[in-house]
Amino acid sequence: MKKVPLSFYERNNVVKIAEELLGKIVVTNLDGKVTSGRIVETEAYAGITDKASHSFGGRRTARNEHMYSAAGTAYIYICYGMHQMLNVVTNKKEIPDAILIRAIEPLEGIEIMLDRTGKKKLDKTLTRGPGNVGKSLGIFKHHSGLFLLDEQIYLLDDNTKYSLKEIGISKRIGVESAGTDALLPYRFYVKGNKYVSGKNS
């Protein structure tokens, strides 16, 4: 098993990368605790041209500054004042494309994940939805800007691939205010996986 290389993130097709992130393993090594999960749901956000993106129209603030970082950077923002949302920055520096990790299937450190989330036992809610992904992996806003080829947050490739029949494609979740861009088929998920946060058939 190897880390996902920088060249994977540096490509200019954020939608294709979002689809190809399915099956990759996201790992956190924070405060001596290692947790991981297989990515089973993602959403692409196409930078300044995408009305659903934080950087639409070139918007640039302290909150979204890491979207403009080099490919392979973790962009983490807080949603509803509580949920820590993990995104993967792609393309080139100053081009703010990013992919939201919406759901993972837990692999390593499940007891740690349960402790972080306050859950008693493993079920589909542990890592279902981007807020739960961040919570279970121990990710917070202050981790935004970390490089995904370093040792704190990184992605692994164990050659898990899904066929076209196994991958679902839909509009994104919760971006209705983006008008016609809300209908773009930028959400990808593993069909039938119980950890997927929205429609999964």
Side-chain angles (χ1 to χ4, degrees), residues 27-67:
V27 183
T28 59
N29 184 355
L30 303 169
D31 300 318
K33 297 178 179 179
V34 177
T35 50
S36 70
R38 191 176 305 281
I39 298 171
V40 295
E41 184 182 6
T42 63
E43 284 180 346
Y45 289 86
I48 61 175
T49 63
D50 183 351
K51 291 179 181 177
S53 172
H54 292 166
S55 57
F56 173 65
R59 186 184 305 118
R60 192 165 186 164
T61 65
R63 181 195 191 208
N64 75 351
E65 179 62 28
H66 288 133
M67 290 188 81

Side-chain angles (χ1 to χ4, degrees), residues 18 22 24 28 42 66 68 77 87 101-103 112 134 151 156 163 172 179 181-183:
L22 296 178
K24 302 293 190 289
T28 59
T42 63
H66 288 133
Y68 291 86
Y77 66 91
N87 297 259
I101 307 302
R102 284 201 60 89
I112 297 170
E151 299 304 317
L156 295 175
S163 68
R172 293 167 293 186
D181 283 1
L183 304 176

Side-chain angles (χ1 to χ4, degrees), residues 39-123:
I39 298 171
V40 295
E41 184 182 6
T42 63
E43 284 180 346
Y45 289 86
I48 61 175
T49 63
D50 183 351
K51 291 179 181 177
S53 172
H54 292 166
S55 57
F56 173 65
R59 186 184 305 118
R60 192 165 186 164
T61 65
R63 181 195 191 208
N64 75 351
E65 179 62 28
H66 288 133
M67 290 188 81
Y68 291 86
S69 297
T73 297
Y75 165 50
I76 297 152
Y77 66 91
I78 301 175
C79 183
Y80 300 129
M82 57 186 291
H83 300 302
Q84 319 283 322
M85 314 284 263
L86 172 62
N87 297 259
V88 173
V89 175
T90 65
N91 212 322
K92 294 178 173 60
K93 187 175 175 63
E94 303 299 330
I95 301 177
D97 291 349
I99 298 159
L100 174 66
I101 307 302
R102 284 201 60 89
I104 61 173
E105 184 172 329
L107 296 174
E108 186 177 2
I110 290 173
E111 289 300 320
I112 297 170
M113 292 181 177
L114 290 171
D115 184 60
R116 284 171 175 162
T117 57
K119 296 182 183 297
K120 301 297 184 185
K121 62 179 181 178
L122 173 63
D123 61 26

